[in-house]
Amino acid sequence: VTAGVEFTNEGGLGLRLLNRTGGFSIPGTVVSASPIGDEGVVLCGSSDLPIGIVYDAVPDGEAVLVLVAGVADVLVLDHVIAGAVVCCAVTSGYARMSDYPGKTRDLGIAIASPGIGTARVILQLGVRERPISVEQVFGDDDVVVAEDDFVWGK
């Protein structure tokens, strides 16, 4: 694997890691660390921790550029609007707009939809617990007081 970092024309920062996806890498797919050997990546499922976005197409076993910061074009399953949080989808290797509260494997914030099936994202990789509404906790009729981050119920 090539040492050092690389920059893309779109504003991404990446590392060369081994493609262990089982086939040619597909630009825009979400990847996680491979459990099979060091410095490799596999397609990321919804319960895996994402480490980056594939930038180039290379055969399995070859070094692939994986974007870990900056801007990346990400494959998405649904229409993503600018300003939306983008997270891992249930379909391995894909992303989706995060439109519900709860724990998600976040990829970042969408800044554009350059084409069908893609979103341009400022990467902010990590797991987040989204706040949930008071009504989701207690139901509309059971809410007594909601202040700042505290919810009081009957």
Side-chain angles (χ1 to χ4, degrees):
V1 178
T2 306
V5 298
E6 296 181 35
F7 292 92
T8 68
N9 291 333
E10 297 82 11
L13 174 118
L15 305 167
R16 292 268 170 199
L17 299 169
L18 290 177
N19 173 18
R20 297 190 189 274
T21 62
F24 265 85
S25 58
I26 299 171
T29 53
V30 183
V31 291
S32 58
S34 171
I36 311 162
D38 295 337
E39 298 183 11
V41 294
V42 295
L43 294 178
C44 187
S46 62
S47 62
D48 299 328
L49 292 175
I51 63 167
I53 309 300
V54 169
Y55 185 73
D56 50 6
V58 300
D60 191 52
E62 297 290 322
V64 62
L65 183 59
V66 176
L67 302 179
V68 296
V71 177
D73 288 339
V74 182
L75 293 178
V76 293
L77 293 175
D78 53 4
H79 178 70
V80 174
I81 57 173
V85 174
V86 177
C87 67
C88 291
V90 174
T91 304
S92 291
Y94 284 85
R96 66 175 175 76
M97 188 165 66
S98 180
D99 56 356
Y100 69 94
K103 191 174 280 189
T104 60
R105 305 301 196 250
D106 288 356
L107 302 173
I109 307 297
I111 56 173
S113 289
I116 296 173
T118 62
R120 184 155 288 165
V121 175
I122 296 178
L123 297 176
Q124 298 174 345
L125 303 168
V127 176
R128 284 197 196 118
E129 185 75 33
R130 296 213 191 296
I132 57 177
S133 71
V134 173
E135 290 77 16
Q136 287 175 302
V137 174
F138 296 108
D140 290 331
D141 298 333
D142 295 328
V143 175
V144 177
V145 178
E147 299 178 37
D148 300 323
D149 293 332
F150 298 100
V151 177
W152 303 91
K154 292 181 183 175

